[in-house]
Amino acid sequence: MTTPLPSVDTSQIPIPPPSGTILSLLTNLSNHSNDAHRIALAQQQTLLSTSAQSYGTTCIQFARVLHCPNPNCIPQDQLNIWSQCDGGVSVLQLRHDPIGGWSQLREMAGLLLKNALVTPPPNMSLPDETFDEILTILLRGIGDESRNVRKVTSSIIASGTVGAKEGKEALPLHRWGENGLTPYLVKGLEDAIAVIEAKNTAPKDSIEYALLGSLQTLSKLFEDSPQRFESGSGPAFQRIVPALVKLLELCGEERVRTDALTCLVNLIRLMPTSLVAVMNEFFAALSKLGGDPNSSSEVRKLVCRGIVTLLAYRTEYLQFHILPISQFILKATSDSDPDVSLEACEFWLAFGSLDSTVCTPAMIGAIQSLLPQIIPTLVKGMIYPSDKIQELLALNEEEEQAGADRAQDVAPVFHRSKTKGGGMKTSTGHDDDDDDDDEDDDGDDDEYDDKEWSLRTCSAASLDVLAALYAPDLILPHLLPALQESLAHTDPWVREAGLLALGAIADGCSKPMGLHMAQLHPYLLTQIGEEGTIPQLKSISCWTLSRYVDWALEQTVSGVQPNLIGIMTEAVLKRLLDKNRKVQIAACSALGVFVESTGDVMVPYLEVVFQTLTQALQTYQTRALIILFDTLGSMADFIGPAVGEGNLPGIYIPALLLIWNNKAKVNPFDRTLLPLMESLASISMNIGMRFQPWALQAFDGAMSIINSCMMILSAGGDIDDEEADPIICATDLLDGLVEGIGPNFGELVSSSMQYGEHFLSVLRALVGHEVSSVRMSAFALMGDIAKQCPQILQPGMKELLFESISCIDSMYPSVCNNAVWAIGEVCVKCQGNPAPLQPYYAEIVQNLICLLMGNKYGEDENGMPVHGLVENAASTMGRLAKVNPEFVVRDLPRFLSGWCNGMTKISDLTERCDAFEGFILTVQANPDTLKNASENDITSILFAVVSWHIPVGNISPELLKGKYAFVPFPDSYPELFQRIGLFLHSLKDLIGADAWGDIEKHMPVNVRQLLHDQYHL
């Protein structure tokens, strides 16, 4: 039997009525039609911010209004005060509507109380003497007879206890007392259960209100932070889950079921012991509610959500019930209510995304047995519902009308960060793992004509992951008949869904689908080119065609269909000029995929492609322009210098510059300019000197953007990263010019009548800018200028080095990365002339040591590694040592192991070569530094040498002890190879034969063989 909780009785504490002054304030705040509202806002701000006492008194008064059940409780003298604010109009209105009008005022007071508590003025918090009264009022509000009052009360409690940052809560749980919030909520549940069990009827009146308010409050608490609520609730928390499950069993009222289910679903990730203890009962309740024909759609939806959440986060609890659960979900996936069917469809997506460690063979087998029913259900779910079809038909007309895109249709545009050196691809600034490709993938939803997550998109994603999980011979026998039926259907919306399904399986079933593409590929081309059909069919055909571009490339390269890429390109180019904007976007996106997948195979078609893209530039609006700019940049990145051959640049570059000039004149902050400038940067980098005819116009345009934006932003106070994006992209374009035209960039700067004299001062302002992303791009620019035309930097070298050194700061790892790389490029140009670095070398060395030896350096604010940071530090240390090894040698014992570790990770061979040459020079400057080196230090040196012989992409431990797979030293660096060999022999002599023998004993066998074969050790 359950032990009763300590009594929670707040009814004996008297709560005074609100004052006429606070009621006057509320009246004026609710009246937006005169100056009284403005004055009231100022008065409210004054009351809340003048002093702690005033803040507490105001909060108390708001709470008293929230608590006051009706205006009859207010003394006459306070009513008189209230009447004076509007000539008694409010009081008169209450006499005509004493319930509705007063309830609205109570709700308004509650919302103002919530805002005051959650976002108080600086240095304000509730005084102790007001705290208890507010808590008492909130506890009573949980069971108030007014639904709106219960709702706002639960919101105040959740926001005040767990909604704020931990330690900053306005109403921390420990202040509620031992018999406070959680016991009160539990009592609200258990009292109702007792009444239901005793009378077999739903609880009434105050007990019912307390139940509904408790459920609503718990729902919000569990939604915000169930972990913090559990940790601060004490033993009473363990009684919540059993009570919730009991309510599901006993109570048939809709509100009780939905709130109880919502609470339990939100607890699944936390999985408290109390839920584990009643898991069987919870399953039974879900089964009963899911199978009850009288269950509302909201209850059915929550049942599905609970199952999906268990599958995704607590799979172990479903393992032994997976077949009946899957059968239930399969039926729910076809539910007549779209919200229920979507929630159920999430199950298949979650299952296909499970980690292999939790998805047992039995589970895989259970779902496999249902694939004959699942796959046709998913294909059917991809058909637009009738109401959405009507909406799209109306939208199609809008998409074909002239005029700018609606603001709500344009997705946010962000620049791509540019990281340099180390493990980076310095020609493009992209990370080795190609994270930037994710941006292109984000546009897939546009191909579905859906921005919102829906049954259609979920069905497609589910089919995608299932096709990846199961072998094609388990998928295709059930999919192909459904595809055949869909693609042959007379209804274009059904054909459209079939094409979506065809595209969805492209990754998982690409090879076996190649056998069917000989028939399907011409069908796709027909659907793309069909005139008079719905735009959605053309759009999805473009997307699906791009999903099978690898098959088309193989057909082209193998000679089976040598012109297939050209035929596909021609079909997509026609749709580029379609009058419907959605089709334009789909065709442009597909062309971008073609380019990324086929590379120089596209070269024969470049002239007609650029002519079509230039024609599209003249008519496209914002959304399509953004995709088009990205596509042009991709063409430069993936096809390379060929996009600059012959007359090609003259086709598209002037058109881009014209759009840039026109848009920048109107608004330099136009977000469309970001991908445009990124595109020009890629083009400049890849076509090199062929960009020269337009270099000055691009240079002046970038400088104009930087100057205009910096001038405008300087007058507006603090600047956020998004506001600085145009400056960043313009800086990256300047860097693209440097990388493209190389040493000629100096002449370009001098030739600029408008900005030539000011360029260096602008660069100094950029490297010292308050926005970290601006500094990041500025150091990339500085480093490339140091590499290509260092004379530009000489007059400002002192300030530039000062800013670079000050930005070697782990708080901004990406900025730090580029600053370190830029310093390294300066060091390269100072070899043979150490004087410019003499005043700074000590500080540079100390900062680099922190990077090489610090455990947490190289991680961003989310704890993710920043690629290249340690590598750049190792490379720059070597380059500094090549300027003068005496700069480095004194501190070598402090960071030797870290330097060696960094050198092993450098992927750019030139930078790795500099690092090793500098390291050897440093040791040779004072060989005694290694006499007392530890065995770990010597081992670090040896493994740094071994890193030159590791095959690309093979870092397996088997490399050390398995079959010998080391490769010879790169042929392009014969002198370094000889120097490393001499260094190793001198190292062996320095530490002595005995010490070397001890180290050699612990070497993996393959390392011993490598050192013997390559270096004769």
Side-chain angles (χ1 to χ4, degrees):
M1 185 173 179
T2 304
T3 304
L5 286 166
S7 176
V8 184
D9 187 7
T10 64
S11 62
Q12 302 304 314
I13 303 174
I15 304 297
S19 68
T21 302
I22 204 69
L23 293 170
S24 299
L25 177 64
L26 292 171
T27 297
N28 289 330
L29 286 172
S30 63
N31 187 353
H32 296 267
S33 61
N34 55 34
D35 289 342
H37 176 71
R38 178 179 52 79
I39 296 170
L41 285 173
Q43 181 185 1
Q44 178 193 7
Q45 182 64 28
T46 300
L47 290 171
L48 291 172
S49 59
T50 300
S51 66
Q53 182 178 2
S54 177
Y55 170 75
T57 300
T58 306
C59 289
I60 279 287
Q61 288 296 328
F62 286 149
R64 288 174 181 174
V65 177
L66 175 67
H67 170 264
C68 188
N70 60 71
N72 295 331
C73 301
I74 303 172
Q76 186 60 46
D77 61 330
Q78 299 304 315
L79 287 174
N80 293 337
I81 294 174
W82 184 17
S83 297
Q84 293 173 8
C85 74
D86 62 356
V89 173
S90 297
V91 176
L92 186 62
Q93 287 177 341
L94 280 176
R95 288 176 181 168
H96 291 286
D97 184 15
I99 298 177
W102 184 248
S103 179
Q104 291 177 7
L105 206 63
R106 293 175 70 192
E107 186 179 1
M108 179 182 177
L111 293 173
L112 292 173
L113 174 62
K114 174 185 172 181
N115 292 337
L117 293 175
V118 176
T119 55
N123 304 317
M124 289 295 171
S125 60
L126 284 177
D128 291 340
E129 60 270 18
T130 65
F131 209 91
D132 290 342
E133 183 178 340
I134 287 180
L135 296 188
T136 299
I137 289 172
L138 292 175
L139 289 177
R140 293 184 187 179
I142 292 171
D144 196 276
E145 65 179 23
S146 168
R147 182 179 181 180
N148 289 340
V149 170
R150 294 196 301 271
K151 181 179 178 181
V152 74
T153 299
S154 65
S155 181
I156 295 170
I157 292 172
S159 300
T161 54
V162 298
K165 185 178 180 181
E166 194 163 4
K168 302 292 185 182
E169 303 93 340
L171 307 171
L173 283 166
H174 68 84
R175 293 290 302 273
W176 292 76
E178 185 176 338
N179 300 330
L181 179 60
T182 308
Y184 191 92
L185 296 172
V186 172
K187 187 174 187 300
L189 306 182
E190 293 183 346
D191 284 353
I193 291 171
V195 171
I196 297 172
E197 289 181 323
K199 299 182 179 180
N200 198 29
T201 59
K204 301 298 183 182
D205 303 331
S206 61
I207 293 179
E208 180 179 4
Y209 299 145
L211 169 63
L212 295 173
S214 296
L215 285 171
Q216 198 165 30
T217 304
L218 286 169
S219 178
K220 286 184 167 62
L221 287 164
F222 292 154
E223 182 181 358
D224 288 349
S225 181
Q227 296 93 337
R228 283 164 61 188
F229 181 62
E230 180 191 29
S231 63
S233 289
F237 184 88
Q238 298 302 318
R239 303 176 74 151
I240 295 174
V241 171
L244 292 171
V245 174
K246 198 72 172 177
L247 285 168
L248 290 181
E249 296 173 358
L250 298 176
C251 187
E253 189 173 343
E254 168 76 8
R255 287 179 295 175
V256 174
R257 283 181 168 185
T258 54
D259 283 348
L261 269 175
T262 301
C263 291
L264 289 165
V265 170
N266 285 331
L267 282 174
I268 288 174
R269 294 193 198 187
L270 178 65
M271 194 54 69
T273 56
S274 56
L275 181 54
V276 175
V278 296
M279 186 56 70
N280 289 335
E281 292 86 345
F282 180 43
F283 273 136
L286 290 177
S287 177
K288 179 182 176 182
L289 293 171
D292 185 353
N294 297 318
S295 288
S296 68
S297 59
E298 184 65 21
V299 168
R300 298 199 307 275
K301 182 179 77 173
L302 287 168
V303 169
C304 293
R305 182 177 299 170
I307 292 172
V308 173
T309 307
L310 279 167
L311 177 69
Y313 297 100
R314 294 291 179 172
T315 313
E316 65 273 20
Y317 293 102
L318 294 187
Q319 287 181 359
F320 302 107
H321 312 280
I322 191 67
L323 185 57
I325 286 173
S326 301
Q327 290 169 334
F328 165 76
I329 288 291
L330 178 59
K331 182 179 179 182
T333 307
S334 299
D335 195 282
S336 58
D337 187 290
D339 292 335
V340 177
S341 55
L342 172 58
E343 206 71 53
C345 191
E346 296 267 10
F347 179 89
W348 312 116
L349 179 59
F351 182 84
S353 306
L354 286 177
D355 189 273
S356 59
T357 58
V358 298
C359 191
T360 66
M363 295 174 68
I364 292 176
I367 301 300
Q368 180 180 324
S369 69
L370 296 176
L371 286 177
Q373 294 82 44
I374 294 171
I375 292 174
T377 300
L378 293 177
V379 174
K380 185 178 179 181
M382 295 180 208
I383 303 173
Y384 282 113
S386 57
D387 58 338
K388 184 67 177 179
I389 289 175
Q390 296 306 312
E391 179 185 331
L392 289 172
L393 290 173
L395 187 61
N396 288 342
E397 296 181 9
E398 294 182 18
E399 293 288 359
E400 295 176 5
Q401 294 172 2
D405 289 329
R406 299 180 305 172
Q408 63 265 35
D409 292 333
V410 181
V413 182
F414 303 100
H415 75 94
R416 291 176 289 183
S417 299
K418 189 166 190 175
T419 311
K420 305 290 282 190
M424 306 299 105
K425 298 178 182 177
T426 56
S427 63
T428 64
H430 296 169
D431 292 355
D432 285 341
D433 56 4
D434 288 337
D435 286 339
D436 289 321
D437 290 347
D438 292 341
E439 295 179 9
D440 298 329
D441 296 338
D442 292 341
D444 281 353
D445 282 351
D446 280 339
E447 315 310 329
Y448 308 153
D449 285 310
D450 277 340
K451 289 185 178 180
E452 75 278 5
W453 186 242
S454 64
L455 176 62
R456 165 188 165 78
T457 50
C458 186
S459 296
S462 298
L463 182 60
D464 189 350
V465 296
L466 290 175
L469 177 63
Y470 290 99
D473 60 351
L474 297 175
I475 297 291
L476 294 181
H478 313 300
L479 176 65
L480 290 175
L483 277 182
Q484 185 174 8
E485 180 182 351
S486 298
L487 299 181
H489 207 283
T490 57
D491 187 340
W493 297 100
V494 178
R495 298 203 302 275
E496 195 271 351
L499 289 175
L500 174 57
L502 178 60
I505 62 161
D507 286 340
C509 301
S510 57
K511 189 171 182 180
M513 281 303 296
L515 301 174
H516 303 277
M517 289 311 295
Q519 291 79 35
L520 289 173
H521 208 267
Y523 176 86
L524 280 170
L525 294 173
T526 301
Q527 298 301 304
I528 288 175
E530 185 176 344
E531 297 295 338
T533 190
I534 55 173
Q536 284 71 25
L537 191 56
K538 299 176 187 177
S539 297
I540 203 66
S541 298
C542 289
W543 176 77
T544 302
L545 191 70
S546 71
R547 296 277 284 173
Y548 289 93
V549 68
D550 289 340
W551 172 84
L553 179 62
E554 189 274 332
Q555 294 283 300
T556 300
V557 173
S558 66
V560 176
Q561 298 187 67
N563 299 320
L564 187 56
I565 293 296
I567 294 170
M568 291 168 56
T569 302
E570 181 182 0
V572 168
L573 289 179
K574 289 180 180 178
R575 293 282 69 85
L576 270 169
L577 302 177
D578 196 280
K579 59 183 179 180
N580 184 279
R581 298 177 197 181
K582 283 283 188 180
V583 177
Q584 295 169 0
I585 292 170
C588 207
S589 297
L591 181 62
V593 175
F594 291 178
V595 167
E596 292 179 17
S597 301
T598 61
D600 56 9
V601 175
M602 289 285 291
V603 169
Y605 318 109
L606 286 181
E607 184 170 359
V608 65
V609 169
F610 282 130
Q611 288 172 345
T612 306
L613 291 175
T614 302
Q615 188 176 349
L617 283 172
Q618 301 171 16
T619 59
Y620 276 16
Q621 297 300 316
T622 303
R623 287 176 296 159
L625 275 178
I626 290 169
I627 304 297
L628 196 156
F629 295 148
D630 283 340
T631 299
L632 284 167
S634 295
M635 292 180 72
D637 289 336
F638 289 89
I639 298 175
V643 301
E645 295 294 332
N647 67 331
L648 292 180
I651 297 175
Y652 61 93
I653 294 178
L656 285 174
L657 292 173
L658 178 63
I659 291 177
W660 185 19
N661 184 56
N662 291 339
K663 286 185 174 291
K665 282 181 180 178
V666 177
N667 177 16
F669 291 96
D670 188 331
R671 306 295 291 181
T672 313
L673 295 175
L674 305 186
L676 193 158
M677 288 188 282
E678 289 174 346
S679 173
L680 285 170
S682 293
I683 293 167
S684 172
M685 281 190 289
N686 283 283
I687 72 174
M689 288 302 297
R690 294 185 182 276
F691 195 82
Q692 185 74 34
W694 304 278
L696 180 59
Q697 187 177 350
F699 175 83
D700 283 348
M703 291 293 291
S704 175
I705 290 283
I706 292 170
N707 277 352
S708 299
C709 292
M710 289 182 73
M711 188 179 303
I712 293 170
L713 292 176
S714 65
D718 293 338
I719 306 170
D720 62 32
D721 285 5
E722 187 173 328
E723 290 177 317
D725 280 351
I727 300 174
I728 297 165
C729 287
T731 304
D732 290 344
L733 173 52
L734 293 174
D735 193 23
L737 290 170
V738 176
E739 293 190 56
I741 65 176
N744 294 285
F745 184 76
E747 296 179 11
L748 174 64
V749 174
S750 301
S751 68
S752 174
M753 301 289 290
Q754 191 171 3
Y755 298 107
E757 294 182 3
H758 311 297
F759 175 74
L760 189 57
S761 62
V762 170
L763 179 59
R764 286 199 297 261
L766 291 172
V767 297
H769 200 275
E770 64 183 272
V771 174
S772 61
S773 298
V774 174
R775 299 197 301 275
M776 179 181 171
S777 288
F779 286 123
L781 174 59
M782 171 185 161
D784 279 320
I785 293 175
K787 183 191 296 188
Q788 299 291 349
C789 39
Q791 69 277 6
I792 292 179
L793 304 181
Q794 287 178 357
M797 187 60 71
K798 179 179 178 181
E799 295 89 343
L800 293 172
L801 280 175
F802 174 82
E803 292 291 350
S804 302
I805 294 168
S806 67
C807 284
I808 304 179
D809 180 358
S810 62
M811 289 291 292
Y812 303 98
S814 296
V815 179
C816 175
N817 192 65
N818 283 8
V820 169
W821 177 80
I823 292 172
E825 293 298 334
V826 171
C827 290
V828 170
K829 298 303 180 181
C830 288
Q831 291 174 23
N833 179 28
L837 293 171
Q838 187 74 36
Y840 310 104
Y841 78 86
E843 194 172 359
I844 293 173
V845 169
Q846 295 309 311
N847 285 328
L848 293 179
I849 290 174
C850 290
L851 298 179
L852 292 170
M853 301 304 293
N855 291 330
K856 297 219 172 167
Y857 294 107
E859 294 183 351
D860 63 15
E861 63 274 11
N862 299 314
M864 300 298 291
V866 176
H867 298 290
L869 188 53
V870 175
E871 297 92 309
N872 274 337
S875 172
T876 297
M877 189 72 84
R879 289 173 165 181
L880 183 63
K882 288 180 70 175
V883 175
N884 185 349
E886 295 297 332
F887 287 168
V888 177
V889 67
R890 186 183 67 179
D891 294 299
L892 179 61
R894 292 174 52 203
F895 65 93
L896 186 149
S897 62
W899 193 357
C900 292
N901 178 56
M903 288 192 292
T904 65
K905 299 177 181 179
I906 302 173
S907 60
D908 183 282
L909 293 185
T910 300
E911 294 180 14
R912 184 190 285 195
C913 180
D914 285 343
F916 272 83
E917 288 178 348
F919 177 77
I920 293 171
L921 288 172
T922 302
V923 174
Q924 290 174 344
N926 186 2
D928 290 343
T929 57
L930 292 186
K931 273 189 176 181
N932 299 319
S934 67
E935 183 175 329
N936 286 337
D937 286 341
I938 302 301
T939 302
S940 296
I941 295 173
L942 294 177
F943 273 94
V945 172
V946 169
S947 69
W948 281 98
H949 301 274
I950 296 176
V952 175
N954 183 3
I955 56 173
S956 168
E958 292 298 313
L959 196 63
L960 301 178
K961 299 180 180 180
K963 183 180 178 181
Y964 186 86
F966 286 119
V967 297
F969 201 90
D971 293 337
S972 50
Y973 298 96
E975 294 182 5
L976 178 60
F977 178 51
Q978 292 181 0
R979 294 181 68 181
I980 290 177
L982 294 173
F983 167 75
L984 290 176
H985 281 275
S986 64
L987 176 63
K988 179 178 179 180
D989 295 338
L990 182 66
I991 66 174
D994 291 341
W996 184 266
D998 290 338
I999 292 172
E1000 201 170 34
K1001 289 178 185 176
H1002 296 95
M1003 285 183 191
V1005 60
N1006 286 343
V1007 174
R1008 287 201 301 270
Q1009 181 181 342
L1010 171 69
L1011 295 178
H1012 176 270
D1013 293 351
Q1014 294 288 317
Y1015 300 100
H1016 310 295
L1017 287 168

